[in-house]
């Protein structure tokens, strides 16, 4: 008599309840990722640095006949030198900029501010604006600059700690890469799994990071030359900022252009600021919308709107590092969704059909290929 009730209670969940539980699980997972950011971020950074740097290790080992341990050591030292050099240069230029603001820029800002307030005096808006932001001497005082500099230094020390941990983890990842590849080949043969799609995704991420680095270098160089031509102070700093922020899709290039444009307006005329803005716009359009799509194609199959939303989401979860790695992380998530029977429909909503890549022709992780020995 009680059997039908039991069967009804044990029957599969309805579609509405399943969507509700899935949404709750996603929120819990995202909250957990945010809470564990101090632990997860170095691991994620180490993984992606290892993916980008592995071709260097392979080149040193295969082409130059370095022992594997020496190839890994040289790769890690090269990455450390690049990161340390960029960080030291930014720290030096930022310190010089702080001194220059107080010595040169503050009087100019006061003059521009006074002229602007004079133009608004007849409308009565000058008192309203002064009540909100105060005077330039207040928000650009020595104490404020000292507080900002202290905050930046504290963040820099934390960043150095994360970088050291990341490089240590990357060393182990690079050292274990050949063994991991052999184990994956063994699993694919014994279990009959086709890991071609996963291998394609990893090669696509590697290709994306390498091309993005190349495009960012050109962007930084052109931004530096533009600032030099417009006689904007600390042109090298703005070039480095443009190089770094270009890794963040769309938002990074906009943020990198704001300080030089404001300096051009402060040190020159509105026409100078307009020319600087047009120059940055031309750089971003020619490289971001011209050269970069030609080199990459639509290889990831992710819609642009999804990319922008993923930048916001992972930036909220993991901060600037999450914004830098938003695209590779989204690619891996999309791949996981495509291989899930219940969640494949989500991957279909995100899909933007990719172009064919030549790198997919031959992959070492295919189960039917012979196993390489190192």
């Amino acid at each position: 008599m009680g059997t039908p009730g039991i069967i009804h209670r044990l029957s599969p969940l309805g579609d509405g309840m399943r969507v509700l539980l899935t949404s709750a699980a996603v929120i819990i997972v995202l909250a957990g990722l945010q809470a564990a950011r101090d632990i997860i971020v170095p691991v994620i950074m180490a993984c992606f640095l290892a993916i980008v740097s592995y071709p260097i290790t392979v080149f040193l080992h295969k082409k130059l006949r370095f022992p594997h341990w020496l190839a890994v050591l040289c790769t890690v030292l090269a990455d450390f030198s690049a990161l340390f050099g960029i960080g030291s240069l930014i720290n030096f230029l930022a310190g010089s900029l702080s001194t220059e603001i107080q010595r040169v820029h503050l009087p100019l800002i006061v003059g521009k501010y006074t002229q602007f307030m004079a133009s608004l005096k007849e409308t009565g808006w000058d008192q309203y604006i002064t009540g909100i932001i105060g005077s330039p001497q207040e928000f650009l005082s020595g104490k404020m600059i000292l507080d900002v500099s202290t905050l930046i230094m504290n963040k820099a020390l934390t960043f150095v700690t994360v970088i050291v941990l990341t490089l240590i983890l990357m060393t182990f990842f690079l050292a274990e890469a050949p063994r991991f590849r052999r184990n994956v080949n063994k699993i694919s043969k014994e279990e009959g799994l086709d890991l071609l799609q996963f291998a394609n995704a990893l090669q696509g991420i590697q290709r994306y990071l390498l091309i993005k680095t190349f495009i960012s270098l050109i962007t930084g160089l052109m931004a530096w030359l533009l600032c030099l031509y417009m006689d904007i102070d600390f042109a090298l700093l703005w070039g480095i900022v443009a190089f770094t922020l270009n890794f963040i899709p769309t938002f990074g290039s906009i943020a990198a252009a704001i300080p030089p444009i404001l300096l051009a307006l402060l040190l020159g005329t509105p026409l100078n600021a307009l020319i600087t803005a047009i120059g940055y716009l031309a750089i971003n359009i020619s490289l971001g919308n011209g050269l970069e799509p030609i080199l990459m194609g639509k290889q990831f199959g992710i819609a642009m709107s999804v990319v922008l939303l993923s930048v916001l989401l992972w930036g909220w979860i993991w901060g600037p590092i999450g914004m830098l790695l938003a695209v590779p992380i989204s690619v891996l998530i999309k791949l996981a969704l495509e291989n899930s029977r219940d969640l494949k429909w989500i991957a279909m909503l995100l899909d933007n059909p990719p172009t064919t890549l030549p790198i997919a022709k031959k992959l070492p992780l295919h189960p039917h290929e012979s196993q390489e020995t190192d």
Side-chain angles (χ1 to χ4, degrees), residues 159-224:
F159 183 73
V160 169
T161 303
V162 172
I163 287 297
V164 171
L165 179 58
T166 298
L167 291 175
I168 293 174
L169 291 172
M170 189 189 76
T171 303
F172 285 97
F173 291 160
L174 288 175
E176 296 292 332
R179 181 179 301 175
F180 174 76
R181 185 177 58 196
R182 291 194 296 267
N183 291 340
V184 170
N185 286 335
K186 182 179 179 181
I187 293 173
S188 63
K189 289 180 180 180
E190 291 185 356
E191 301 296 330
L193 300 176
D194 188 355
L195 300 178
L196 180 63
Q197 192 177 14
F198 176 72
N200 276 340
L202 287 182
Q203 285 193 335
I205 290 173
Q206 186 180 75
R207 177 183 173 89
Y208 166 80
L209 293 174
L210 290 174
I211 292 177
K212 196 68 176 177
T213 301
F214 173 71
I215 296 295
S216 297
L217 282 172
I218 299 178
T219 301
L221 178 62
M222 295 181 69
W224 172 56

Side-chain angles (χ1 to χ4, degrees), residues 62-235:
K62 298 291 186 181
K63 302 297 183 182
L64 301 183
R65 303 298 179 183
F66 280 29
H68 182 65
W69 67 268
L70 183 58
V72 170
L73 179 61
C74 292
T75 303
V76 174
L77 289 176
D79 289 344
F80 174 78
S81 300
L83 293 173
F84 180 79
I86 293 175
S88 300
L89 186 58
I90 290 177
N91 184 55
F92 171 76
L93 293 175
S96 301
L97 178 61
S98 176
T99 304
E100 194 73 8
I101 286 176
Q102 287 185 294
R103 187 177 66 86
V104 177
H105 296 156
L106 183 57
L108 293 175
I109 292 175
V110 172
K112 296 281 186 180
Y113 181 84
T114 303
Q115 293 178 5
F116 179 68
M117 286 295 111
S119 64
L120 296 178
K121 192 170 184 179
E122 295 181 358
T123 63
W125 280 89
D126 57 329
Q127 297 180 357
Y128 178 74
I129 295 176
T130 303
I132 295 177
I133 65 175
S135 65
Q137 292 88 341
E138 293 176 353
F139 61 81
L140 284 177
S141 63
K143 182 179 181 302
M144 187 279 295
I145 295 176
L146 180 61
D147 293 339
V148 173
S149 301
T150 303
L151 177 63
I152 293 175
M153 289 302 297
N154 292 335
K155 292 291 185 181
L157 291 175
T158 304
F159 183 73
V160 169
T161 303
V162 172
I163 287 297
V164 171
L165 179 58
T166 298
L167 291 175
I168 293 174
L169 291 172
M170 189 189 76
T171 303
F172 285 97
F173 291 160
L174 288 175
E176 296 292 332
R179 181 179 301 175
F180 174 76
R181 185 177 58 196
R182 291 194 296 267
N183 291 340
V184 170
N185 286 335
K186 182 179 179 181
I187 293 173
S188 63
K189 289 180 180 180
E190 291 185 356
E191 301 296 330
L193 300 176
D194 188 355
L195 300 178
L196 180 63
Q197 192 177 14
F198 176 72
N200 276 340
L202 287 182
Q203 285 193 335
I205 290 173
Q206 186 180 75
R207 177 183 173 89
Y208 166 80
L209 293 174
L210 290 174
I211 292 177
K212 196 68 176 177
T213 301
F214 173 71
I215 296 295
S216 297
L217 282 172
I218 299 178
T219 301
L221 178 62
M222 295 181 69
W224 172 56
L225 293 176
L226 173 64
C227 292
L228 278 180
Y229 177 77
M230 297 303 299
D231 198 23
I232 299 174
D233 289 349
F234 299 96

Side-chain angles (χ1 to χ4, degrees), residues 247-315:
F247 284 92
I248 301 175
T250 305
F251 300 107
S253 58
I254 296 175
I258 293 176
I261 293 174
L262 292 178
L263 276 179
L265 179 62
L266 176 65
L267 301 175
T269 63
L271 179 60
N272 290 359
L274 179 61
I275 295 174
T276 304
I278 293 175
Y280 267 91
L281 182 63
I283 292 172
N284 293 325
I285 290 178
S286 60
L287 295 179
N289 298 331
L291 181 60
E292 186 172 323
I294 292 176
L295 294 177
M296 289 189 181
K298 296 179 181 179
Q299 60 180 11
F300 292 140
I302 299 179
M304 189 60 190
S305 58
V306 177
V307 172
L308 298 179
L309 290 175
S310 68
V311 170
L312 295 176
L313 174 64
W314 293 107

